[in-house]
Amino acid sequence: MMSRTVTITDNATGKTLECPVLEGTHGQPVIDSRALSTELGMFNYDPAYVTTASCTSKITFIDGEKGILLYRGYPIEQLAENSSYIEVCYLLLNGELPTPEQFTTFQKSLCNVSLLHEGLVNFYNGFRRDSHPMGMMVGVVGALSSYYHKELDIEDPAHRDLCALRLIGKIPAIAARTLRYKMGRYYVHPSYKYSYVENFYHMLFHLPNRKLNMSPVAIKALEIMLILHADHEQNASTSTVRLAGSSQANPYACVAAGIATLWGPAHGGANEAVIKMLYEIGDVKNVPGYIEKVKDKNNHTRLMGFGHRVYKNFDPRATIIRNICHQLLQELDNPELKPIFEIAMELERIALEDEYFIERKLYPNVDFYSGIILSSLGIPTEMFTVLFAVARTAGWIAQWKEMMEEPNMRIGRPRQLYTGAAQRDYVAMDQR
Ligand code: CMC
């Protein structure tokens, strides 16, 4: 069978270019337009990379129309139901589910690298207590590289594996320390007695004068939150990690760049924005008025937690997390959160029936519910995106490793359509 091509014709010169069409395992085919510049002397124009496939990847697949999310081929629903976050990390990094022996070794290895260097812990004292925790995360994760000079050869696969292990192993401790510093609490070390997720919970909340209630529902909710946020294909922060990595920057610096990108409210900062919005609405009776404000073109308010660049029918992560949200609120019976949840349910109901949202295919995304879950676990609003960063570290480093393992990896270098002043001569100051 003849392989599929797309022909591009320049009607000014009559020149044509036959571009091969590349087929992946799933999803839309891709036009290989790499010869555009050499053959037709042109670049692609695709601001915000809406139709650009920036790489090949075997890690995560999303079908935005059908609401499908697969990690290494496994549906997110099955992983959320049956797997653990650590198993998902192993899967993302290695491509296959671990055998029981591989799982135990991986779990032990993560525990072995989970302590923070005391020098790194000292870093925190330099931050103001009212710093945004994401700013602290960017600084501390970026600083990790300075402790591991001897194992920072990005050409060495063993060093790359160790960097991945250290990042995944230490990130809960870094996040917990960030929260505790802000709260003026002492640092809690990770313990060999707990699983990865229990340890995270313990490091966040342990107090010597109170019994820590590690409710299985709460631990399960945290586990699922981490699984759902572990990777999401070539989103803004992952693309940032890849672009930074393509310059052969060290992986700690690349992940710090990813954390900085995740911070934005259009990306990982949305769950924090959702909770702020729910408190701002304040009462179910104010929901219709708020929806009108969102629809008003002269008012730049967006319904936070709604819409997604890729998911245009539903976000499969939102479906999973919505159920957990209900369970958790029932189990923990937190009266403070009940009205907030009621506002969220009313917003969801009205928005899903409203033409404005239907026409634009705006559905609740994962962040619409994740903020409520994190609040009910006792995590302060400012920390929400930090939790997202903890989960996404596995995806970022798996994507970084995949890129570094490519034989022909080159520095990423987008081009542009220049629309500035035409070439002109310098004018001496006294003649302007
Ligand atoms: N509320 C109201 N209107 C919206 C919203 C929203 N949340 N999102 C998009 N629209 C409208 C937008 O005004 C535009 O309308 P029109 O065609 O009349 O100009 C249309 O829908 C298309 O919007 P867009 O900005 O071109 O869509 P996008 O694909 O570039 O943006 C988005 C995706 C997620 C940035 C956007 O939907 C948004 O800002 N949502 C709120 C923030 C949010 O929840 N972000 C979390 C995303 S999920 C977490 C993650 O995976 O990172």
Side-chain angles (χ1 to χ4, degrees), residues 267 270 297 302-306 308-309 356 360 365 367:
H267 192 6
K297 280 277 147 216
R302 284 201 163 189
L303 191 53
M304 297 315 286
F306 264 69
H308 199 275
R309 171 59 62 78
Y356 174 95
R360 289 168 180 76
N365 59 49
D367 287 328

Side-chain angles (χ1 to χ4, degrees), residues 232 235 262 265-268 270 274 294 297 301-310 312 315 317 356-357 360 362 365-367 388 392:
H232 213 223
N235 55 80
L262 187 74
H267 192 6
V274 169
V294 165
K297 280 277 147 216
T301 310
R302 284 201 163 189
L303 191 53
M304 297 315 286
F306 264 69
H308 199 275
R309 171 59 62 78
V310 180
K312 296 300 176 194
D315 177 342
R317 301 167 302 170
Y356 174 95
F357 295 92
R360 289 168 180 76
L362 299 171
N365 59 49
V366 67
D367 287 328
F388 192 161
R392 188 56 59 84

Side-chain angles (χ1 to χ4, degrees), residues 111-128:
C111 185
N112 288 345
V113 298
S114 61
L115 281 176
L116 301 184
H117 189 290
E118 283 303 310
L120 190 80
V121 173
N122 284 337
F123 251 74
Y124 286 89
N125 296 329
F127 292 111
R128 282 172 56 123

Side-chain angles (χ1 to χ4, degrees), residues 394-410:
W396 287 328
I397 202 64
Q399 299 266 353
W400 174 84
K401 253 168 58 71
E402 179 179 63
M403 182 184 72
M404 296 307 295
E405 282 156 17
E406 273 169 26
N408 300 317
M409 201 272 289
R410 296 170 75 196

